[in-house]
Amino acid sequence: MKRMASLVLTAALGGSSFALGLGSFNFDAAKMGDYLIESDGGSHRAANWLNLANVDPGNPGALTGANFDTGVANMSGSITYTIGYNSAIVDQVGDDLGIVVARYSFDDVRFRLNDGSAWTSWFALGSGTAVSTGVMKNYWYAGGGPYVAELYVHALDMAAYGVSMVKEIEIGDNGQSPQLDLVRAGGLVPEPGTMTALALGALALLRRKTR
């Protein structure tokens, strides 16, 4: 009984994954992107990369990995980036996925989600939906700088977009803001209070079943 309770608690608390903090947000370090598809073959990123070090992070490093050290600036027009996950981000209580942007100007985004079988329609989010993290970064921009910017997060509950898991997310500028500066799109870890409540609920259910 004790071993089963321990396993239930471990599962409810997210197993062995560890959280990558960004302000009030916690990202799942194992769900920060594994591959990157560039709609233009990489020409925009090669001239507009962001990095805490003065070096081009390349593909997939510009928009994947368990950090917020790199990105792509000045996205506009039809340019999009598809970030893929070897292990899908699954629906959970609350927000599931966060799009991290550097606020040099505005950060209106458009995106669509792929659950492994089909793409959703395109959705748009205005700058007002992005939440400040209070975290400042000094990025080199294609060899110039460094330039300081605060990181913001658009938090998504995938159930609101009609999917129960995400294998890929495609992101672009929505055409209404000057230019989008994208840093990451990764899975979010539920707040500790939510996970504790889930664990306690699972344990209570287990006790009832063993009586």
Side-chain angles (χ1 to χ4, degrees):
M1 171 65 178
K2 287 183 178 180
R3 175 170 173 75
M4 180 62 70
S6 176
L7 290 173
V8 170
L9 182 60
T10 299
L13 293 176
S16 60
S17 297
F18 68 92
L20 182 66
L22 183 66
S24 62
F25 295 92
N26 285 314
F27 286 79
D28 184 339
K31 302 292 178 65
M32 296 298 288
D34 298 293
Y35 60 88
L36 175 64
I37 301 171
E38 303 171 282
S39 65
D40 67 345
S43 58
H44 179 83
R45 184 256 313 151
N48 293 272
W49 53 264
L50 298 172
N51 197 346
L52 295 186
N54 190 12
V55 60
D56 182 355
N59 179 327
L63 292 173
T64 68
N67 60 74
F68 306 101
D69 297 347
T70 59
V72 177
N74 298 331
M75 291 171 58
S76 60
S78 62
I79 295 169
T80 64
Y81 294 92
T82 299
I83 299 168
Y85 310 92
N86 291 337
S87 178
I89 299 171
V90 298
D91 189 25
Q92 58 192 9
V93 176
D95 295 322
D96 313 293
L97 194 151
I99 299 174
V100 183
V101 294
R103 184 160 286 185
Y104 284 109
S105 51
F106 295 98
D107 40 61
D108 300 48
V109 302
R110 61 187 175 98
F111 69 93
R112 61 177 183 161
L113 307 171
N114 189 340
D115 64 0
S117 62
W119 286 98
T120 66
S121 301
W122 284 95
F123 300 97
L125 296 174
S127 295
T129 69
V131 177
S132 167
T133 67
V135 175
M136 311 298 292
K137 294 286 187 178
N138 284 289
Y139 290 118
W140 291 90
Y141 164 63
Y147 306 104
V148 66
E150 184 177 358
L151 299 186
Y152 279 67
V153 175
H154 291 280
L156 310 178
D157 181 351
M158 68 176 68
Y161 302 98
V163 295
S164 60
M165 68 174 63
V166 170
K167 288 286 291 181
E168 294 180 326
I169 180 171
E170 185 174 5
I171 302 172
D173 179 86
N174 75 352
Q176 298 177 13
S177 62
Q179 290 164 331
L180 173 65
D181 305 298
L182 180 62
V183 174
R184 285 294 183 279
L188 290 171
V189 176
E191 295 180 0
T194 299
M195 295 308 293
T196 299
L198 288 173
L200 292 176
L203 288 172
L205 180 62
L206 180 62
R207 289 194 187 99
R208 285 198 296 271
K209 287 185 176 181
T210 56
R211 286 176 182 174

